[in-house]
């Protein structure tokens, strides 16, 4: 068994899951990186990057590793699709804003800094003026239309919280499958960090199965992941905490 180095802490959990599965498949294959490169067509240095979490492998490399390591290619490719989405989001966040200029020589850098400072000062003054105008306008509206506290209007001083969709569980059996009224999907791939009606559907079905995914809030968090793993263990599936076609089938049976 190989002794792997720890993965970067900042690595997205969905990418981390893919890398761990690839490492496990390599261990099962018994191949060295050199032999792995010869059998897959991807270089040794490429596999070093893939297995250390420094680079996302292409789908062909993932499928090849699955077959060499005795893993399920379909499931591993589904995990790769989720990881690719997370990787693209992280890359977009690291990308510098459009129009960012390269560093200038020292002589011009000072002039640019002074100009930027002047612009920032002007923007700060403009923001202060706009804020004063909005506050004045708001006070006028408050005097003209008094507010009454109710269930939909928070009392003064109450912090506002972002609105979240409300999900309910309306379980019914249709053509031999269970549905909870939030989604009828059978193939959506869900993992830690995902959110939406498909997640709420899975949470309702996990409750129906006697497991505890936490609140039915449509957010795939640690409680939901733990409940998914318990279901997968009970159904004899690969216990990876990811909902794919096989796990959906177990949920709806």
């Amino acid at each position: 068994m190989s002794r792997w180095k720890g993965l970067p802490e900042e690595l997205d959990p969905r990418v981390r899951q893919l890398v761990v599965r690839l490492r496990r498949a390599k261990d099962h294959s018994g191949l060295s990186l050199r032999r792995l490169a010869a059998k897959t067509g991807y270089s040794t240095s490429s596999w070093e990057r893939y297995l250390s979490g420094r680079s996302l492998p292409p789908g062909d490399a993932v499928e090849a590793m699955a077959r060499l390591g005795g893993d399920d290619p379909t499931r591993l490719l589904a995990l790769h699709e989720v990881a690719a989405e997370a990787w693209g989001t992280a890359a977009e966040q690291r990308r510098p804003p459009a129009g960012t200029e390269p560093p200038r020589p020292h002589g011009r850098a000072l002039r640019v800094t002074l100009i930027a400072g002047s612009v920032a000062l002007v923007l700060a003054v403009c923001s202060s003026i706009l804020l004063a105008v909005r506050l004045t306008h708001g006070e006028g509206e408050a005097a003209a239309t008094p507010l009454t506290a109710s269930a939909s209007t928070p009392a003064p001083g109450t912090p506002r919280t972002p609105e979240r969709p409300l999900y309910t569980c309306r379980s019914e059996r249709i053509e031999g499958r269970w549905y909870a009224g939030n989604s009828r999907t059978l193939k959506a791939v869900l993992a830690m960090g995902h959110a939406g009606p498909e997640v709420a559907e899975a949470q309702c079905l996990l409750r129906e199965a006697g497991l505890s995914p936490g609140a039915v809030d449509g957010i795939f968090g640690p409680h939901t992941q733990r409940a998914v793993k318990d279901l997968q263990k009970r159904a004899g599936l690969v216990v990876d905490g990811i909902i794919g076609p096989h796990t959906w089938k177990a949920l709806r049976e």
Side-chain angles (χ1 to χ4, degrees), residues 34-198:
R34 182 178 300 177
R35 292 183 61 195
L36 183 62
K39 285 182 173 292
T40 62
Y42 292 89
S43 67
T44 301
S45 59
S46 295
W47 278 113
E48 288 176 348
R49 293 194 303 273
Y50 302 156
L51 296 172
S52 64
R54 292 184 288 116
S55 181
L56 186 71
D60 290 344
V62 171
E63 184 175 6
M65 177 66 87
R67 298 190 185 282
L68 291 172
D71 205 338
D72 180 2
T74 302
R75 183 172 292 274
L76 205 55
L77 285 172
L79 184 57
H80 174 265
E81 182 178 351
V82 174
E85 180 181 352
W87 189 276
T89 301
E92 186 67 26
Q93 292 174 348
R94 292 192 299 266
R95 185 177 302 166
T100 300
E101 297 183 1
R104 298 173 179 269
H106 180 72
R108 298 181 61 188
L110 179 60
R111 185 165 67 252
V112 171
T113 302
L114 291 174
I115 295 173
S118 300
V119 172
L121 179 59
V122 172
L123 290 175
V125 173
C126 292
S127 297
S128 299
I129 295 173
L130 288 174
L131 179 59
V133 171
R134 287 178 180 176
L135 288 174
T136 303
H137 181 66
E139 291 174 357
E141 288 185 347
T145 310
L147 296 177
T148 302
S150 66
S152 60
T153 303
T158 302
R160 292 181 176 271
T161 56
E163 295 184 359
R164 291 181 178 174
L166 297 177
Y167 297 105
T168 58
C169 299
R170 302 183 301 276
S171 298
E172 59 178 335
R173 197 160 179 83
I174 303 173
E175 296 181 357
R177 294 191 179 99
W178 283 104
Y179 295 91
N182 295 298
S183 172
R184 299 178 67 86
T185 182
L186 296 172
K187 298 181 179 180
V189 178
L190 304 175
M192 179 78 81
H194 281 193
E198 292 82 7

Side-chain angles (χ1 to χ4, degrees), residues 165-171 179-185 190 194-208 213-221 224 243 248 251-252:
L166 297 177
Y167 297 105
T168 58
C169 299
R170 302 183 301 276
S171 298
Y179 295 91
N182 295 298
S183 172
R184 299 178 67 86
T185 182
L190 304 175
H194 281 193
E198 292 82 7
V199 177
E201 177 79 3
Q203 291 170 331
C204 290
L205 295 176
L206 286 166
R207 282 191 173 185
E208 186 72 26
V216 180
D217 54 6
I219 299 174
F220 201 123
T224 301
I243 300 178
W248 277 118
L251 281 169
R252 298 200 184 278

